[in-house]
């Protein structure tokens, strides 16, 4: 139903635009029949994890796409980061952006390495190489760049600093699988790069991740680390963890790879539709991509400048949620405002002006194969309508009790589980 009056907005008592919520991270599902056939093979083979054929096949395909000699598949991106950090021998302090998903910082802190938060470049929104040197201390052992939303870091400048200051260089490429930079696949920069294949990533393995590298020694070490450090039965040569990718995840990965081009095509179509329908709204900018490179377009991110729109990103965010558009503030607040970092470095924000600014302005919109052109047009109409009525809407919203959006409930479905016979026979 088109909104004609302010009171038509769901946040002010009107009917929500969408009865079925639109998510940012609704998974892309490839060929279901092919996936189920692979799962059936796994069960027949009775090889469910630890070096199974699908895991090996998936690793081979990921390394090809990343342009690297090695891909080490893991059970998620966070564990991939953790073993890469450990495998590279990082200790003490590591320089990392705060404008990222909290896993980037946690993967360091988990190993008692201090994440030293560096500000971002306001244009790329990635770690600002110009600010890195001022943060290097005798304890610094490395830099982690994050290719945020799939847009590449300044790999040339970062490599130059890392080499000159004798630091390791790792990339969190969780958002950048399938992308290129300077005509070279992302995955092949720095000492190693890490991908996430979480359900909400454009290419998913249900849960999963990978470290990619050209370094043979590092790759061998990471293979041991992901499997408790075992080199053979009963022989452990390394401290390790359990970061293995199971066969069902690998089967999902291979199936997803078969549809990767189609997923990217749909993301690109969606991105262009958003660009088209939001064109001309003063104060709203859609984050652009370098179209001469290969991009996965998995995040559609707006920057909403309230000095121009007269309505804040958060007010639009809450109003969209009421309509069933579950936009996300990726990434708000910066990691420095989350615990434990907030307590460790209470004044970190003073050194992170661009992170503070951008984290207050960005809004990720639903995309992927679960979102169609009609839905995108309706989302854009809502945003346009809200901004056209910014003064009255902002005024009305400021009178409502403030509330944090709830985490959406997992859709409830009834699962038919046969009841167990009673343990004790009834008399
Ligand atoms: N580094 C970076 C830069 C990252 O972005 C991430 C992960 C990592 C490292 C760590 O990689 P992993 O260890 O996760 O592999 C999500 C994801 O959990 C996380 O993977 C992702 N980044 C981050 C950006 O987003 P949440 O807490 O916002 O997501 P969640 O699970 O609430 O899902 C988002 C929405 O998607 C839900 O509201 C509903 C929908 N959804 C979700 C799932 C899981 C579905 O429709 N179906 C689903 O199966 O963190």
């Amino acid at each position: 139903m088109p909104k004609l009056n302010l009171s038509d907005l769901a946040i002010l008592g009107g009917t929500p635009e969408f009865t079925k919520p639109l998510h940012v991270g609704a998974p892309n599902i490839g060929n279901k029949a092919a996936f189920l056939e692979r799962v059936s093979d796994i069960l027949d083979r009775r090889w469910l994890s630890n070096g199974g054929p699908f895991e090996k096949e998936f690793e081979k395909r990921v390394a090809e796409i990343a342009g690297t000699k090695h891909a080490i598949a893991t059970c998620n991106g966070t564990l991939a980061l953790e073993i890469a950090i450990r495998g590279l021998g990082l200790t003490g302090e590591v320089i990392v952006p705060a404008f990222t998903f909290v896993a980037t910082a946690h993967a360091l802190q988990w190993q008692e390495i201090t994440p030293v938060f560096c500000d971002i470049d306001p244009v790329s929104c990635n770690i600002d190489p110009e600010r890195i040197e001022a943060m290097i201390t005798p304890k610094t052992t490395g830099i982690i760049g994050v290719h945020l939303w799939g847009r590449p870091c300044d790999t040339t400048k970062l490599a130059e600093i890392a080499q000159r200051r004798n630091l390791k260089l790792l990339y969190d490429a969780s958002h950048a699988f399938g992308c290129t930079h300077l005509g070279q696949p992302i995955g092949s920069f720095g000492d190693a790069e890490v991908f996430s294949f979480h359900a909400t990533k454009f290419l998913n393995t249900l849960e999963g991740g990978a470290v990619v590298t050209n370094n043979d020694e590092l790759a061998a070490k990471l293979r041991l680390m992901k499997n408790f450090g075992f080199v053979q039965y009963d022989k452990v040569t390394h401290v390790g963890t359990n970061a293995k990718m199971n066969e069902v995840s690998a089967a999902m990965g291979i199936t997803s790879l078969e549809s990767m081009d189609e997923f990217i095509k749909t993301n690109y179509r969606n991105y262009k539709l958003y660009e088209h329908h939001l064109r001309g709204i003063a104060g709203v900018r859609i984050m652009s991509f370098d179209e001469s490179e290969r991009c996965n377009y998995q995040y559609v991110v707006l920057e909403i400048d309230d000095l121009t729109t007269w309505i804040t990103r958060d007010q639009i965010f809450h109003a969209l949620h009421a309509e069933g558009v579950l936009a996300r503030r990726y990434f708000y607040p910066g990691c420095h405002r989350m615990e434990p970092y907030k307590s460790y470095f209470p004044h970190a924000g003073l050194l992170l002006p661009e992170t503070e600014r951008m984290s207050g302005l960005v809004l990720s919109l639903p995309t992927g194969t679960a979102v169609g052109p009609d839905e995108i047009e309706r989302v854009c109409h809502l945003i346009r309508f809200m901004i056209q009525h910014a003064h009255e809407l902002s005024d009305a919203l400021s009178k409502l009790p403030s509330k944090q959006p709830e985490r959406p409930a997992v859709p409830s479905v009834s699962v038919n589980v046969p009841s167990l016979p009673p343990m004790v026979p009834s008399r």
Side-chain angles (χ1 to χ4, degrees), residues 26 55 77 103 107 137 146 197 220 237 261-262 355 366-367 387 402:
E55 186 195 19
T137 75
V146 181
F197 301 117
T237 56
D261 289 345
E262 185 201 314
T355 303
T367 186
I387 292 175
S402 73

Side-chain angles (χ1 to χ4, degrees), residues 23-27 74-81 99-105 146-149 172-175 194-201 206-209 299 326 328 330-331 407-409 411:
H23 288 286
V24 167
T74 57
C75 54
N76 59 51
T78 305
L79 261 292
L81 277 171
F99 194 45
T100 177
F101 188 59
V102 73
T104 321
V146 181
H147 305 299
L148 201 77
W149 311 313
D172 179 342
S174 291
H175 302 174
V194 164
F195 297 122
S196 163
F197 301 117
H198 181 256
T200 56
K201 295 290 180 281
L206 311 174
E207 286 271 3
Y299 291 102
L326 304 187
R328 298 296 300 268
Y330 288 145
F331 288 96
R407 245 186 127 74

